Amino acid sequence: MTHASSSTQNPVLKDAADARHDRQFRWLLTATAVFVLVTLAGAALSMLWGGRSVLASEGLHFFTSSDWNPVENKYGALVPIYGTLVTAAIAMLIAVPVSFGIAFFLTEVAPRWMRGPVGTAIELLAGIPSIIYGMWGFFVLMPVMREYMIPWLDTHIGPLPIIGALFRGPPIGAGMLTSGLVLSIMVVPFIASTMREVFMTVPARLKESAYALGATKWEVSWDIVLPYTRSAVIGGVFLGLGRALGETMAVAFVIGNSVGFTTSLLEPSTTIAALIANDFGEATETYRAALLLLGFVLFLVTFVVLALARLMLSNLSRKEGNR
């Protein structure tokens, strides 16, 4: 009798224990998510609080002025904001097509014996410290830009209307174009690895059917592979963009670190991260507050970019009927 009662109650006790463990696991996952959100909010608000004095004195003029003069306590963040956005844009214009070419080559064109070693080598590039990229840019890329690329751009593209103003400047070597080139090399491994992984998820039957109908490799990549993996590809691109927006040391080596506003891509400028890294250690109290507020601006810029990426992915998912 006792044995029968015990055997009857065991499933009930087991279900109750499973339900309790499931609740505990759900609470643990919720706590980790809340911890991340609280940490991000705390970091952002701490920078905003640290720069409150400059924000109170400058107001919205802080975001629209290009006058950055710590000696006179005048702070305008337009130049570093502009430099951050422009260098990241240059990096993405170069890195996205190159990454797509690498990913498609490794999944569709390269022989099997080559795919593993080349793919591993590209992924290893992501582990190189950013200061190494900066040193390479300073000692190798800048002389090339100074002696060959900038004189050619200034001579052949500088006289053109509209876009010519972007490519006129002295052959210094440091500038937003050089920084964008270095950043593009840095973000290629992230984007290419993501694209390669998602391209490998495309069913072989789809591609084989297209090839059987006479499609070329370009048509397969453009009409089959990209539509099938569009959401994941865009996510990988914005992952690389977030990396480019926040890069510090590599950019500090090659951008020239000038706070003067210029539209030329060949002249020295600065970014938010590079300006903070260069000046934070020796800054006065007021200047440190301005740099903290600048860090909050970088946080906002990165957050807005990633939020737009998430919104774009959500819209794509709805159009594809996934939601």
Side-chain angles (χ1 to χ4, degrees), residues 91 95 99 122 125-134 136 179-192 240 243-244 246-251:
S99 300
I122 293 173
L125 290 175
I128 298 177
S130 60
I131 193 171
I132 303 300
Y133 285 105
W136 173 84
S179 300
L181 290 172
V182 174
L183 283 177
S184 67
I185 298 173
M186 294 184 64
V187 301
V188 159
F190 296 93
I191 304 176
R243 179 75 171 86
E247 179 50 43
T248 305
M249 294 309 300
V251 174

PDB file of all heavy atoms in Angstrom, residues 91 95 99 122 125-134 136 179-192 240 243-244 246-251:
ATOM      1  N   ALA A  91      35.105  53.150 -44.081  1.00  0.00           N
ATOM      2  CA  ALA A  91      35.440  51.756 -43.779  1.00  0.00           C
ATOM      3  C   ALA A  91      34.379  50.802 -44.298  1.00  0.00           C
ATOM      4  O   ALA A  91      34.698  49.754 -44.882  1.00  0.00           O
ATOM      5  CB  ALA A  91      35.621  51.585 -42.272  1.00  0.00           C
ATOM      6  N   ALA A  95      34.800  47.832 -46.862  1.00  0.00           N
ATOM      7  CA  ALA A  95      34.791  46.506 -46.232  1.00  0.00           C
ATOM      8  C   ALA A  95      33.626  45.642 -46.685  1.00  0.00           C
ATOM      9  O   ALA A  95      33.781  44.416 -46.813  1.00  0.00           O
ATOM     10  CB  ALA A  95      34.759  46.659 -44.711  1.00  0.00           C
ATOM     11  N   SER A  99      34.241  42.027 -48.141  1.00  0.00           N
ATOM     12  CA  SER A  99      33.793  40.913 -47.301  1.00  0.00           C
ATOM     13  C   SER A  99      32.850  39.997 -48.060  1.00  0.00           C
ATOM     14  O   SER A  99      32.924  38.766 -47.939  1.00  0.00           O
ATOM     15  CB  SER A  99      33.103  41.449 -46.042  1.00  0.00           C
ATOM     16  OG  SER A  99      33.983  42.251 -45.282  1.00  0.00           O
ATOM     17  N   ILE A 122      41.510  34.373 -42.188  1.00  0.00           N
ATOM     18  CA  ILE A 122      40.706  35.598 -42.119  1.00  0.00           C
ATOM     19  C   ILE A 122      40.149  35.796 -40.719  1.00  0.00           C
ATOM     20  O   ILE A 122      40.143  36.915 -40.185  1.00  0.00           O
ATOM     21  CB  ILE A 122      39.576  35.536 -43.164  1.00  0.00           C
ATOM     22  CG1 ILE A 122      40.174  35.582 -44.572  1.00  0.00           C
ATOM     23  CG2 ILE A 122      38.591  36.677 -42.964  1.00  0.00           C
ATOM     24  CD1 ILE A 122      39.178  35.356 -45.665  1.00  0.00           C
ATOM     25  N   LEU A 125      42.601  37.265 -38.276  1.00  0.00           N
ATOM     26  CA  LEU A 125      42.834  38.706 -38.384  1.00  0.00           C
ATOM     27  C   LEU A 125      42.034  39.477 -37.337  1.00  0.00           C
ATOM     28  O   LEU A 125      42.444  40.562 -36.920  1.00  0.00           O
ATOM     29  CB  LEU A 125      42.459  39.198 -39.784  1.00  0.00           C
ATOM     30  CG  LEU A 125      43.368  38.755 -40.930  1.00  0.00           C
ATOM     31  CD1 LEU A 125      42.796  39.234 -42.267  1.00  0.00           C
ATOM     32  CD2 LEU A 125      44.776  39.295 -40.737  1.00  0.00           C
ATOM     33  N   ALA A 126      40.885  38.914 -36.933  1.00  0.00           N
ATOM     34  CA  ALA A 126      40.068  39.590 -35.926  1.00  0.00           C
ATOM     35  C   ALA A 126      40.746  39.608 -34.564  1.00  0.00           C
ATOM     36  O   ALA A 126      40.414  40.432 -33.714  1.00  0.00           O
ATOM     37  CB  ALA A 126      38.704  38.914 -35.812  1.00  0.00           C
ATOM     38  N   GLY A 127      41.706  38.706 -34.337  1.00  0.00           N
ATOM     39  CA  GLY A 127      42.383  38.646 -33.044  1.00  0.00           C
ATOM     40  C   GLY A 127      43.607  39.525 -32.943  1.00  0.00           C
ATOM     41  O   GLY A 127      44.213  39.622 -31.871  1.00  0.00           O
ATOM     42  N   ILE A 128      43.993  40.197 -34.034  1.00  0.00           N
ATOM     43  CA  ILE A 128      45.159  41.078 -33.979  1.00  0.00           C
ATOM     44  C   ILE A 128      44.807  42.338 -33.201  1.00  0.00           C
ATOM     45  O   ILE A 128      43.789  42.972 -33.473  1.00  0.00           O
ATOM     46  CB  ILE A 128      45.628  41.438 -35.398  1.00  0.00           C
ATOM     47  CG1 ILE A 128      46.049  40.168 -36.155  1.00  0.00           C
ATOM     48  CG2 ILE A 128      46.775  42.438 -35.365  1.00  0.00           C
ATOM     49  CD1 ILE A 128      46.455  40.421 -37.586  1.00  0.00           C
ATOM     50  N   PRO A 129      45.617  42.742 -32.222  1.00  0.00           N
ATOM     51  CA  PRO A 129      45.304  43.958 -31.452  1.00  0.00           C
ATOM     52  C   PRO A 129      45.237  45.193 -32.352  1.00  0.00           C
ATOM     53  O   PRO A 129      45.968  45.309 -33.341  1.00  0.00           O
ATOM     54  CB  PRO A 129      46.483  44.057 -30.466  1.00  0.00           C
ATOM     55  CG  PRO A 129      47.024  42.668 -30.381  1.00  0.00           C
ATOM     56  CD  PRO A 129      46.812  42.051 -31.725  1.00  0.00           C
ATOM     57  N   SER A 130      44.352  46.099 -31.991  1.00  0.00           N
ATOM     58  CA  SER A 130      44.148  47.280 -32.825  1.00  0.00           C
ATOM     59  C   SER A 130      45.392  48.153 -32.907  1.00  0.00           C
ATOM     60  O   SER A 130      45.618  48.828 -33.919  1.00  0.00           O
ATOM     61  CB  SER A 130      42.978  48.097 -32.272  1.00  0.00           C
ATOM     62  OG  SER A 130      43.241  48.520 -30.942  1.00  0.00           O
ATOM     63  N   ILE A 131      46.223  48.143 -31.870  1.00  0.00           N
ATOM     64  CA  ILE A 131      47.425  48.973 -31.903  1.00  0.00           C
ATOM     65  C   ILE A 131      48.389  48.485 -32.993  1.00  0.00           C
ATOM     66  O   ILE A 131      49.152  49.274 -33.560  1.00  0.00           O
ATOM     67  CB  ILE A 131      48.110  48.984 -30.515  1.00  0.00           C
ATOM     68  CG1 ILE A 131      49.162  50.103 -30.464  1.00  0.00           C
ATOM     69  CG2 ILE A 131      48.712  47.634 -30.182  1.00  0.00           C
ATOM     70  CD1 ILE A 131      49.716  50.327 -29.086  1.00  0.00           C
ATOM     71  N   ILE A 132      48.355  47.193 -33.306  1.00  0.00           N
ATOM     72  CA  ILE A 132      49.187  46.665 -34.391  1.00  0.00           C
ATOM     73  C   ILE A 132      48.723  47.229 -35.729  1.00  0.00           C
ATOM     74  O   ILE A 132      49.532  47.623 -36.577  1.00  0.00           O
ATOM     75  CB  ILE A 132      49.154  45.127 -34.404  1.00  0.00           C
ATOM     76  CG1 ILE A 132      49.617  44.573 -33.048  1.00  0.00           C
ATOM     77  CG2 ILE A 132      50.001  44.581 -35.535  1.00  0.00           C
ATOM     78  CD1 ILE A 132      51.027  44.980 -32.689  1.00  0.00           C
ATOM     79  N   TYR A 133      47.409  47.270 -35.919  1.00  0.00           N
ATOM     80  CA  TYR A 133      46.881  47.893 -37.136  1.00  0.00           C
ATOM     81  C   TYR A 133      47.280  49.364 -37.204  1.00  0.00           C
ATOM     82  O   TYR A 133      47.598  49.885 -38.277  1.00  0.00           O
ATOM     83  CB  TYR A 133      45.358  47.767 -37.173  1.00  0.00           C
ATOM     84  CG  TYR A 133      44.846  46.397 -37.523  1.00  0.00           C
ATOM     85  CD1 TYR A 133      44.315  45.564 -36.545  1.00  0.00           C
ATOM     86  CD2 TYR A 133      44.888  45.934 -38.832  1.00  0.00           C
ATOM     87  CE1 TYR A 133      43.835  44.307 -36.868  1.00  0.00           C
ATOM     88  CE2 TYR A 133      44.418  44.678 -39.156  1.00  0.00           C
ATOM     89  CZ  TYR A 133      43.883  43.866 -38.170  1.00  0.00           C
ATOM     90  OH  TYR A 133      43.426  42.610 -38.488  1.00  0.00           O
ATOM     91  N   GLY A 134      47.238  50.038 -36.050  1.00  0.00           N
ATOM     92  CA  GLY A 134      47.624  51.445 -36.030  1.00  0.00           C
ATOM     93  C   GLY A 134      49.081  51.646 -36.392  1.00  0.00           C
ATOM     94  O   GLY A 134      49.425  52.563 -37.159  1.00  0.00           O
ATOM     95  N   TRP A 136      50.938  49.592 -38.166  1.00  0.00           N
ATOM     96  CA  TRP A 136      51.072  49.293 -39.595  1.00  0.00           C
ATOM     97  C   TRP A 136      50.616  50.476 -40.439  1.00  0.00           C
ATOM     98  O   TRP A 136      51.268  50.840 -41.430  1.00  0.00           O
ATOM     99  CB  TRP A 136      50.260  48.049 -39.941  1.00  0.00           C
ATOM    100  CG  TRP A 136      50.220  47.780 -41.413  1.00  0.00           C
ATOM    101  CD1 TRP A 136      51.150  47.128 -42.155  1.00  0.00           C
ATOM    102  CD2 TRP A 136      49.181  48.174 -42.328  1.00  0.00           C
ATOM    103  NE1 TRP A 136      50.760  47.093 -43.475  1.00  0.00           N
ATOM    104  CE2 TRP A 136      49.567  47.723 -43.609  1.00  0.00           C
ATOM    105  CE3 TRP A 136      47.976  48.864 -42.182  1.00  0.00           C
ATOM    106  CZ2 TRP A 136      48.782  47.938 -44.737  1.00  0.00           C
ATOM    107  CZ3 TRP A 136      47.190  49.073 -43.314  1.00  0.00           C
ATOM    108  CH2 TRP A 136      47.595  48.621 -44.572  1.00  0.00           C
ATOM    109  N   SER A 179      42.481  56.728 -42.167  1.00  0.00           N
ATOM    110  CA  SER A 179      41.825  56.060 -41.043  1.00  0.00           C
ATOM    111  C   SER A 179      40.739  55.110 -41.528  1.00  0.00           C
ATOM    112  O   SER A 179      40.588  54.002 -41.002  1.00  0.00           O
ATOM    113  CB  SER A 179      41.220  57.107 -40.102  1.00  0.00           C
ATOM    114  OG  SER A 179      42.210  57.967 -39.598  1.00  0.00           O
ATOM    115  N   GLY A 180      39.986  55.542 -42.540  1.00  0.00           N
ATOM    116  CA  GLY A 180      38.952  54.675 -43.077  1.00  0.00           C
ATOM    117  C   GLY A 180      39.517  53.409 -43.693  1.00  0.00           C
ATOM    118  O   GLY A 180      38.941  52.326 -43.560  1.00  0.00           O
ATOM    119  N   LEU A 181      40.677  53.532 -44.367  1.00  0.00           N
ATOM    120  CA  LEU A 181      41.316  52.356 -44.948  1.00  0.00           C
ATOM    121  C   LEU A 181      41.757  51.372 -43.867  1.00  0.00           C
ATOM    122  O   LEU A 181      41.567  50.153 -43.993  1.00  0.00           O
ATOM    123  CB  LEU A 181      42.519  52.784 -45.792  1.00  0.00           C
ATOM    124  CG  LEU A 181      42.203  53.528 -47.094  1.00  0.00           C
ATOM    125  CD1 LEU A 181      43.485  54.054 -47.719  1.00  0.00           C
ATOM    126  CD2 LEU A 181      41.465  52.626 -48.061  1.00  0.00           C
ATOM    127  N   VAL A 182      42.352  51.889 -42.791  1.00  0.00           N
ATOM    128  CA  VAL A 182      42.778  51.021 -41.691  1.00  0.00           C
ATOM    129  C   VAL A 182      41.569  50.351 -41.043  1.00  0.00           C
ATOM    130  O   VAL A 182      41.579  49.147 -40.751  1.00  0.00           O
ATOM    131  CB  VAL A 182      43.594  51.817 -40.662  1.00  0.00           C
ATOM    132  CG1 VAL A 182      43.907  50.962 -39.437  1.00  0.00           C
ATOM    133  CG2 VAL A 182      44.890  52.331 -41.275  1.00  0.00           C
ATOM    134  N   LEU A 183      40.510  51.121 -40.815  1.00  0.00           N
ATOM    135  CA  LEU A 183      39.310  50.558 -40.207  1.00  0.00           C
ATOM    136  C   LEU A 183      38.682  49.485 -41.097  1.00  0.00           C
ATOM    137  O   LEU A 183      38.162  48.482 -40.593  1.00  0.00           O
ATOM    138  CB  LEU A 183      38.292  51.665 -39.933  1.00  0.00           C
ATOM    139  CG  LEU A 183      38.550  52.554 -38.728  1.00  0.00           C
ATOM    140  CD1 LEU A 183      37.489  53.654 -38.643  1.00  0.00           C
ATOM    141  CD2 LEU A 183      38.568  51.752 -37.444  1.00  0.00           C
ATOM    142  N   SER A 184      38.715  49.695 -42.402  1.00  0.00           N
ATOM    143  CA  SER A 184      38.129  48.702 -43.299  1.00  0.00           C
ATOM    144  C   SER A 184      38.846  47.360 -43.185  1.00  0.00           C
ATOM    145  O   SER A 184      38.208  46.302 -43.199  1.00  0.00           O
ATOM    146  CB  SER A 184      38.178  49.208 -44.744  1.00  0.00           C
ATOM    147  OG  SER A 184      39.511  49.294 -45.211  1.00  0.00           O
ATOM    148  N   ILE A 185      40.174  47.399 -43.055  1.00  0.00           N
ATOM    149  CA  ILE A 185      40.925  46.158 -42.890  1.00  0.00           C
ATOM    150  C   ILE A 185      40.582  45.500 -41.560  1.00  0.00           C
ATOM    151  O   ILE A 185      40.525  44.271 -41.452  1.00  0.00           O
ATOM    152  CB  ILE A 185      42.436  46.441 -42.990  1.00  0.00           C
ATOM    153  CG1 ILE A 185      42.775  46.992 -44.371  1.00  0.00           C
ATOM    154  CG2 ILE A 185      43.257  45.188 -42.712  1.00  0.00           C
ATOM    155  CD1 ILE A 185      44.206  47.469 -44.508  1.00  0.00           C
ATOM    156  N   MET A 186      40.317  46.306 -40.553  1.00  0.00           N
ATOM    157  CA  MET A 186      40.002  45.762 -39.233  1.00  0.00           C
ATOM    158  C   MET A 186      38.634  45.090 -39.181  1.00  0.00           C
ATOM    159  O   MET A 186      38.450  44.086 -38.480  1.00  0.00           O
ATOM    160  CB  MET A 186      40.081  46.866 -38.181  1.00  0.00           C
ATOM    161  CG  MET A 186      41.464  47.429 -37.961  1.00  0.00           C
ATOM    162  SD  MET A 186      41.492  48.633 -36.624  1.00  0.00           S
ATOM    163  CE  MET A 186      41.037  47.611 -35.239  1.00  0.00           C
ATOM    164  N   VAL A 187      37.655  45.640 -39.893  1.00  0.00           N
ATOM    165  CA  VAL A 187      36.288  45.111 -39.786  1.00  0.00           C
ATOM    166  C   VAL A 187      36.002  44.022 -40.812  1.00  0.00           C
ATOM    167  O   VAL A 187      34.996  43.314 -40.679  1.00  0.00           O
ATOM    168  CB  VAL A 187      35.241  46.241 -39.915  1.00  0.00           C
ATOM    169  CG1 VAL A 187      35.449  47.281 -38.834  1.00  0.00           C
ATOM    170  CG2 VAL A 187      35.278  46.887 -41.289  1.00  0.00           C
ATOM    171  N   VAL A 188      36.846  43.885 -41.835  1.00  0.00           N
ATOM    172  CA  VAL A 188      36.625  42.836 -42.838  1.00  0.00           C
ATOM    173  C   VAL A 188      36.509  41.448 -42.211  1.00  0.00           C
ATOM    174  O   VAL A 188      35.608  40.676 -42.585  1.00  0.00           O
ATOM    175  CB  VAL A 188      37.733  42.873 -43.917  1.00  0.00           C
ATOM    176  CG1 VAL A 188      37.837  41.538 -44.643  1.00  0.00           C
ATOM    177  CG2 VAL A 188      37.448  43.964 -44.926  1.00  0.00           C
ATOM    178  N   PRO A 189      37.387  41.052 -41.270  1.00  0.00           N
ATOM    179  CA  PRO A 189      37.241  39.696 -40.699  1.00  0.00           C
ATOM    180  C   PRO A 189      35.894  39.463 -40.029  1.00  0.00           C
ATOM    181  O   PRO A 189      35.326  38.366 -40.138  1.00  0.00           O
ATOM    182  CB  PRO A 189      38.383  39.627 -39.671  1.00  0.00           C
ATOM    183  CG  PRO A 189      39.381  40.614 -40.146  1.00  0.00           C
ATOM    184  CD  PRO A 189      38.594  41.722 -40.763  1.00  0.00           C
ATOM    185  N   PHE A 190      35.351  40.479 -39.342  1.00  0.00           N
ATOM    186  CA  PHE A 190      34.073  40.317 -38.661  1.00  0.00           C
ATOM    187  C   PHE A 190      32.941  40.119 -39.675  1.00  0.00           C
ATOM    188  O   PHE A 190      32.114  39.211 -39.539  1.00  0.00           O
ATOM    189  CB  PHE A 190      33.780  41.533 -37.781  1.00  0.00           C
ATOM    190  CG  PHE A 190      34.748  41.717 -36.660  1.00  0.00           C
ATOM    191  CD1 PHE A 190      35.866  42.523 -36.805  1.00  0.00           C
ATOM    192  CD2 PHE A 190      34.560  41.084 -35.448  1.00  0.00           C
ATOM    193  CE1 PHE A 190      36.769  42.698 -35.768  1.00  0.00           C
ATOM    194  CE2 PHE A 190      35.449  41.242 -34.401  1.00  0.00           C
ATOM    195  CZ  PHE A 190      36.561  42.050 -34.569  1.00  0.00           C
ATOM    196  N   ILE A 191      32.900  40.980 -40.683  1.00  0.00           N
ATOM    197  CA  ILE A 191      31.815  40.906 -41.658  1.00  0.00           C
ATOM    198  C   ILE A 191      31.959  39.671 -42.538  1.00  0.00           C
ATOM    199  O   ILE A 191      30.980  38.965 -42.813  1.00  0.00           O
ATOM    200  CB  ILE A 191      31.785  42.184 -42.512  1.00  0.00           C
ATOM    201  CG1 ILE A 191      31.654  43.418 -41.618  1.00  0.00           C
ATOM    202  CG2 ILE A 191      30.632  42.145 -43.496  1.00  0.00           C
ATOM    203  CD1 ILE A 191      31.707  44.737 -42.369  1.00  0.00           C
ATOM    204  N   ALA A 192      33.185  39.390 -42.996  1.00  0.00           N
ATOM    205  CA  ALA A 192      33.394  38.247 -43.882  1.00  0.00           C
ATOM    206  C   ALA A 192      33.072  36.932 -43.181  1.00  0.00           C
ATOM    207  O   ALA A 192      32.468  36.030 -43.785  1.00  0.00           O
ATOM    208  CB  ALA A 192      34.840  38.237 -44.384  1.00  0.00           C
ATOM    209  N   GLY A 240      29.986  45.026 -37.904  1.00  0.00           N
ATOM    210  CA  GLY A 240      31.240  45.658 -38.294  1.00  0.00           C
ATOM    211  C   GLY A 240      31.192  47.158 -38.146  1.00  0.00           C
ATOM    212  O   GLY A 240      32.196  47.787 -37.765  1.00  0.00           O
ATOM    213  N   ARG A 243      31.853  48.108 -34.642  1.00  0.00           N
ATOM    214  CA  ARG A 243      33.292  47.983 -34.375  1.00  0.00           C
ATOM    215  C   ARG A 243      34.049  49.199 -34.896  1.00  0.00           C
ATOM    216  O   ARG A 243      34.966  49.703 -34.237  1.00  0.00           O
ATOM    217  CB  ARG A 243      33.811  46.704 -35.039  1.00  0.00           C
ATOM    218  CG  ARG A 243      35.306  46.449 -34.870  1.00  0.00           C
ATOM    219  CD  ARG A 243      35.607  45.970 -33.475  1.00  0.00           C
ATOM    220  NE  ARG A 243      36.982  45.521 -33.353  1.00  0.00           N
ATOM    221  CZ  ARG A 243      38.027  46.312 -33.086  1.00  0.00           C
ATOM    222  NH1 ARG A 243      37.816  47.610 -32.934  1.00  0.00           N
ATOM    223  NH2 ARG A 243      39.233  45.823 -32.959  1.00  0.00           N
ATOM    224  N   ALA A 244      33.680  49.681 -36.072  1.00  0.00           N
ATOM    225  CA  ALA A 244      34.372  50.826 -36.664  1.00  0.00           C
ATOM    226  C   ALA A 244      34.094  52.114 -35.896  1.00  0.00           C
ATOM    227  O   ALA A 244      34.986  52.960 -35.742  1.00  0.00           O
ATOM    228  CB  ALA A 244      33.956  50.985 -38.125  1.00  0.00           C
ATOM    229  N   GLY A 246      33.603  52.572 -32.720  1.00  0.00           N
ATOM    230  CA  GLY A 246      34.238  52.660 -31.419  1.00  0.00           C
ATOM    231  C   GLY A 246      35.731  52.439 -31.411  1.00  0.00           C
ATOM    232  O   GLY A 246      36.343  52.449 -30.336  1.00  0.00           O
ATOM    233  N   GLU A 247      36.366  52.237 -32.568  1.00  0.00           N
ATOM    234  CA  GLU A 247      37.795  51.972 -32.601  1.00  0.00           C
ATOM    235  C   GLU A 247      38.588  53.191 -32.138  1.00  0.00           C
ATOM    236  O   GLU A 247      38.271  54.335 -32.467  1.00  0.00           O
ATOM    237  CB  GLU A 247      38.226  51.566 -34.011  1.00  0.00           C
ATOM    238  CG  GLU A 247      39.699  51.297 -34.151  1.00  0.00           C
ATOM    239  CD  GLU A 247      40.226  50.349 -33.095  1.00  0.00           C
ATOM    240  OE1 GLU A 247      39.556  49.330 -32.806  1.00  0.00           O
ATOM    241  OE2 GLU A 247      41.301  50.626 -32.538  1.00  0.00           O
ATOM    242  N   THR A 248      39.654  52.933 -31.372  1.00  0.00           N
ATOM    243  CA  THR A 248      40.410  54.017 -30.746  1.00  0.00           C
ATOM    244  C   THR A 248      41.851  54.077 -31.214  1.00  0.00           C
ATOM    245  O   THR A 248      42.261  54.993 -31.931  1.00  0.00           O
ATOM    246  CB  THR A 248      40.384  53.861 -29.205  1.00  0.00           C
ATOM    247  OG1 THR A 248      39.029  53.789 -28.762  1.00  0.00           O
ATOM    248  CG2 THR A 248      41.064  55.035 -28.534  1.00  0.00           C
ATOM    249  N   MET A 249      42.658  53.108 -30.820  1.00  0.00           N
ATOM    250  CA  MET A 249      44.103  53.221 -30.989  1.00  0.00           C
ATOM    251  C   MET A 249      44.526  53.229 -32.449  1.00  0.00           C
ATOM    252  O   MET A 249      45.407  54.002 -32.846  1.00  0.00           O
ATOM    253  CB  MET A 249      44.808  52.088 -30.248  1.00  0.00           C
ATOM    254  CG  MET A 249      44.659  52.164 -28.738  1.00  0.00           C
ATOM    255  SD  MET A 249      45.083  53.792 -28.064  1.00  0.00           S
ATOM    256  CE  MET A 249      46.795  53.952 -28.582  1.00  0.00           C
ATOM    257  N   ALA A 250      43.935  52.380 -33.261  1.00  0.00           N
ATOM    258  CA  ALA A 250      44.322  52.340 -34.670  1.00  0.00           C
ATOM    259  C   ALA A 250      44.047  53.678 -35.345  1.00  0.00           C
ATOM    260  O   ALA A 250      44.856  54.171 -36.138  1.00  0.00           O
ATOM    261  CB  ALA A 250      43.578  51.220 -35.385  1.00  0.00           C
ATOM    262  N   VAL A 251      42.905  54.281 -35.025  1.00  0.00           N
ATOM    263  CA  VAL A 251      42.563  55.572 -35.613  1.00  0.00           C
ATOM    264  C   VAL A 251      43.463  56.672 -35.075  1.00  0.00           C
ATOM    265  O   VAL A 251      43.883  57.572 -35.817  1.00  0.00           O
ATOM    266  CB  VAL A 251      41.080  55.893 -35.339  1.00  0.00           C
ATOM    267  CG1 VAL A 251      40.730  57.291 -35.817  1.00  0.00           C
ATOM    268  CG2 VAL A 251      40.186  54.865 -36.015  1.00  0.00           C
TER     269      VAL A 251
END
